[in-house]
Amino acid sequence: MLNEFKSFIAKGNVMDLAVGVIIGGAFGKIVSSLVSDMLMPLIGLVMGKVSFANLFLSLDGNSYKTIEAAKAAGAATLNYGLFLQALIDFLIIAAAVFLIVKALNKVQKPAAPAPPAPVTTKKCQYCYSEIPLEATKCAHCTSQLSE
């Protein structure tokens, strides 16, 4: 079982997948930072100095200044500002992956068409059934076949 595992790990596809996961994680962190540290403050400024990190609804009916204050008071909250931020993260990452896959598909060579299968049968000239090429008599209608 250990040898099977070693051969599985040594395959190129598994290594490619591991590299992709690591790079994807790093790319996700970069995009999250871009959204939370650069885009959301600009969008908040345009919308009247709104901090998306503090957009939430308190479910206990009280009003709190920040999410941290609500959590410290033990109130359940709907953090829709953080959700919007995560949604923008996702959309940017999805768009980037789409563009990368589109570029790779352009660069990648199209698969060569499969060679035609060799002809191994012919049609009987009397009943039009499929019969082997070497047949001299039809198995279906028992007619003698001409060459």
Side-chain angles (χ1 to χ4, degrees), residues 54-88:
N54 282 319
L55 291 179
F56 68 98
L57 289 175
S58 174
L59 298 179
D60 68 355
N62 295 327
S63 180
Y64 301 97
K65 214 163 186 50
T66 64
I67 293 174
E68 290 78 20
K71 291 198 188 247
T77 58
L78 288 175
N79 305 325
Y80 63 90
L82 295 175
F83 175 75
L84 288 173
Q85 198 165 325
L87 185 63
I88 292 171

Side-chain angles (χ1 to χ4, degrees), residues 2 4 9 15 22 25 28 35 41 43-44 62-63 67-68 79 90 97 102 117 122 128 132 134-135 140:
L2 184 62
E4 277 183 275
I9 293 298
M15 296 308 251
I22 292 167
V35 170
I43 293 170
N62 295 327
S63 180
I67 293 174
E68 290 78 20
N79 305 325
F90 169 76
V97 169
K102 189 173 178 180
K122 62 182 177 182
Y128 299 103
E134 298 82 24
H140 302 284

Side-chain angles (χ1 to χ4, degrees), residues 27 35 41 58 80 114 119 121 130 133 136-137:
F27 182 71
V35 170
S58 174
Y80 63 90
V119 178
T121 61
E130 291 285 326
L133 277 177
T136 56
K137 201 170 198 177

Side-chain angles (χ1 to χ4, degrees), residues 33-145:
S33 176
L34 171 76
V35 170
S36 64
D37 300 331
M38 299 184 78
L39 290 179
M40 296 311 266
L42 289 174
I43 293 170
L45 182 66
V46 170
M47 293 181 68
K49 297 184 180 180
V50 175
S51 172
F52 279 83
N54 282 319
L55 291 179
F56 68 98
L57 289 175
S58 174
L59 298 179
D60 68 355
N62 295 327
S63 180
Y64 301 97
K65 214 163 186 50
T66 64
I67 293 174
E68 290 78 20
K71 291 198 188 247
T77 58
L78 288 175
N79 305 325
Y80 63 90
L82 295 175
F83 175 75
L84 288 173
Q85 198 165 325
L87 185 63
I88 292 171
D89 279 356
F90 169 76
L91 291 175
I92 290 173
I93 290 172
V97 169
F98 171 75
L99 293 174
I100 290 170
V101 169
K102 189 173 178 180
L104 287 176
N105 285 342
K106 251 185 200 176
V107 171
Q108 205 173 33
K109 294 178 185 173
V119 178
T120 59
T121 61
K122 62 182 177 182
K123 287 197 182 253
C124 171
Q125 61 197 25
Y126 300 105
C127 70
Y128 299 103
S129 299
E130 291 285 326
I131 55 174
L133 277 177
E134 298 82 24
T136 56
K137 201 170 198 177
C138 178
H140 302 284
C141 67
T142 67
S143 298
Q144 190 68 33
L145 302 173

